[in-house]
Amino acid sequence: MSASIREKHDGALDGRSDVRVWLRLLSCSTIIEKRLRRRFVVQFDTTLPRFDVLATLDRHADGATMGELSRALLVSNGNVTALVRQLETDGHVVSRPDPADKRSLIVHLTAQGRDHFAELARAHRSWIKCMFAGMSPDEEKALYELLAKLKTSIAADPDGSE
């Protein structure tokens, strides 16, 4: 028996494939995010936003300013500040004044933070792999390419604000 996830529109959008595709994409994204959030809390007593900060810092070996983190994560400076403080308390990051601008802080992963992130990243990859297990590598590649095309189409929207 195959598992299924209920559609928001319950098939009532015949002839409106663009809306149906968008709703399906939204439901998949929402479900994946909810599962990731729950698993991070249950298995690691952490949150998806904390993981996102650690992942961003992992990609910035020289550290990142609070503003860079905010832009990379698409959240406010206040949200980043709270997350960084929590991660500092846990010993996962350290923030130091920027030598070029003493008003700014540069946030770095600690050795403990790198180890913690590596553990989280392994679990994250495993969870994603399980959720995509019903797709072949060729199907994943095709979906990736189609989503790139959609992203280009979205960017071309003259009313977009990004």
Side-chain angles (χ1 to χ4, degrees):
M1 182 170 136
S2 128
S4 70
I5 296 172
R6 187 174 114 7
E7 297 283 352
K8 280 187 166 187
H9 53 79
D10 287 329
L13 292 171
D14 291 337
R16 292 183 263 174
S17 65
D18 52 354
V19 175
R20 287 184 13 237
V21 168
W22 174 71
L23 288 171
R24 181 161 292 170
L25 183 62
L26 179 62
S27 66
C28 288
S29 178
T30 300
I31 290 164
I32 290 169
E33 184 175 333
K34 282 181 181 178
R35 288 180 181 180
L36 292 174
R37 286 180 185 279
R38 184 176 55 248
R39 290 172 183 176
F40 275 127
V41 169
V42 170
Q43 294 183 29
F44 295 99
D45 192 29
T46 195
T47 64
L48 186 56
R50 285 182 180 194
F51 172 79
D52 289 340
V53 170
L54 295 173
T56 301
L57 291 172
D58 186 64
R59 291 187 300 271
H60 291 85
D62 295 331
T65 66
M66 299 292 246
E68 289 168 336
L69 284 172
S70 177
R71 284 186 295 281
L73 300 170
L74 305 174
V75 297
S76 72
N77 285 339
N79 285 347
V80 167
T81 300
L83 289 167
V84 166
R85 284 188 181 143
Q86 292 167 6
L87 290 166
E88 280 181 313
T89 299
D90 293 342
H92 299 307
V93 303
V94 62
S95 55
R96 299 184 188 106
D98 183 345
D101 178 2
K102 299 291 185 202
R103 298 169 297 160
S104 184
L105 294 174
I106 298 179
V107 184
H108 300 268
L109 282 175
T110 62
Q112 178 185 341
R114 257 187 290 289
D115 292 345
H116 181 61
F117 174 70
E119 182 181 19
L120 295 176
R122 277 190 302 276
H124 181 268
R125 279 190 296 277
S126 173
W127 299 332
I128 296 294
K129 184 176 182 176
C130 286
M131 286 186 265
F132 279 69
M135 296 181 72
S136 72
D138 286 343
E139 289 169 328
E140 283 183 27
K141 183 179 180 199
L143 179 59
Y144 183 77
E145 290 168 358
L146 287 168
L147 289 172
K149 191 171 185 176
L150 174 61
K151 192 173 177 182
T152 299
S153 178
I154 292 166
D157 177 6
D159 294 328
S161 62
E162 275 91 26

